[in-house]
Amino acid sequence: GAVVSQHPSWVICKSGTSVKIECRSLDFQATTMFWYRQFPKQSLMLMATSNEGSKATYEQGVEKDKFLINHASLTLSTLTVTSAHPEDSSFYICSAIQGTYNEQFFGPGTRLTVL
Amino acid sequence: GDSVTQMEGPVTLSEEAFLTINCTYTATGYPSLFWYVQYPGEGLQLLLKATKADDKGSNKGFEATYRKETTSFHLEKGSVQVSDSAVYFCALSASFGNEKLTFGTGTRLTIIP
């Protein structure tokens, strides 16, 4: 199957700083990627849909100025958490659509801890 | 809006026991239904899917049947193994997984030898 990677796998930062998380499709091109957020013992909540070469589509309630998404190439999407605060601490997961398999493939996730 | 209600865990079973994890959904139209599995330290992996009513998805001994009349997609396995220990997520999408997924809360399964 197709492989999606995320970097970093975990990050700790101070309140007020910005953090960038990368999502890469390693062996396929992905015109569409998704970003999810997972709270402890809760489900994955879709944050936004990232489309290569265009602006991301954010779900209701997600602050687009706080969670900046850039899909600069067919293999890379980035999520930047700007001016992070402790309530932004969470597990962030990306997925990418692989056209041949007609399926979403998920990255391993990035755990963000804001102190 | 669309929603998925999943059996709450955690679930602990002995090896070779029968497994059922319940999943019901609310959606407009005719969604596709999925079960994803998340092993410790890994990303979500598609376990099985069904795209229309009465379809049965199956993989690795797991099965689930798309029941439109009861809006359900329960996951079953006849004889679980220790290696099946993971978190299982039921999910739906408007079409064939190419659109956004709506997930249930996940069920943590632990199999005891």
Side-chain angles (χ1 to χ4, degrees):
Chain A
V3 180
V4 175
S5 70
Q6 282 185 241
H7 179 78
S9 55
W10 59 270
V11 57
I12 301 173
C13 69
K14 292 183 179 180
S15 186
T17 61
S18 294
V19 175
K20 180 185 286 188
I21 302 170
E22 294 185 347
C23 176
R24 294 183 184 272
S25 54
L26 297 185
D27 50 2
F28 66 99
Q29 293 183 330
T31 56
T32 302
M33 291 183 173
F34 299 93
W35 286 96
Y36 296 85
R37 183 172 177 178
Q38 185 178 25
F39 293 96
K41 298 184 179 181
Q42 293 189 30
S43 184
L44 284 75
M45 300 298 295
L46 180 67
M47 299 175 65
T49 302
S50 171
N51 296 297
E52 187 267 337
S54 64
K55 291 183 178 181
T57 302
Y58 290 82
E59 294 299 299
Q60 192 173 8
V62 177
E63 299 176 59
K64 59 181 65 177
D65 293 332
K66 178 156 191 69
F67 298 100
L68 300 179
I69 292 172
N70 183 25
H71 196 153
S73 77
L74 288 172
T75 59
L76 173 65
S77 176
T78 60
L79 168 66
T80 301
V81 183
T82 62
S83 186
H85 291 284
E87 58 265 30
D88 299 324
S89 298
S90 192
F91 197 56
Y92 294 88
I93 300 172
C94 73
S95 70
I97 292 178
Q98 206 282 355
T100 302
Y101 293 104
N102 199 34
E103 179 181 330
Q104 282 190 44
F105 290 89
F106 287 79
T110 297
R111 181 162 303 283
L112 169 64
T113 302
V114 184
L115 302 177
Chain B
D2 297 346
S3 67
V4 176
T5 302
Q6 188 174 341
M7 173 179 172
E8 290 203 19
V11 174
T12 302
L13 295 173
S14 297
E15 204 166 19
E16 299 184 0
F18 184 86
L19 168 71
T20 299
I21 301 178
N22 290 336
C23 172
T24 57
Y25 68 90
T26 302
T28 55
Y30 303 95
S32 293
L33 302 174
F34 307 83
W35 276 100
Y36 283 86
V37 57
Q38 186 177 30
Y39 297 105
E42 299 183 18
L44 274 75
Q45 301 173 26
L46 178 64
L47 180 60
L48 53 85
K49 67 180 179 184
T51 58
K52 62 182 187 295
D54 299 326
D55 267 3
K56 177 185 284 187
S58 61
N59 185 26
K60 299 182 179 180
F62 291 89
E63 292 183 341
T65 302
Y66 189 143
R67 301 287 188 197
K68 188 172 184 296
E69 63 276 14
T70 55
T71 61
S72 65
F73 193 56
H74 304 321
L75 182 68
E76 296 182 336
K77 186 173 185 181
S79 177
V80 293
Q81 305 300 314
V82 172
S83 57
D84 294 326
S85 298
V87 181
Y88 292 81
F89 292 91
C90 185
L92 67 81
S93 77
S95 68
F96 302 116
N98 265 2
E99 297 188 17
K100 59 184 182 180
L101 290 164
T102 300
F103 286 90
T105 53
T107 302
R108 181 174 298 278
L109 173 66
T110 301
I111 307 301
I112 299 172

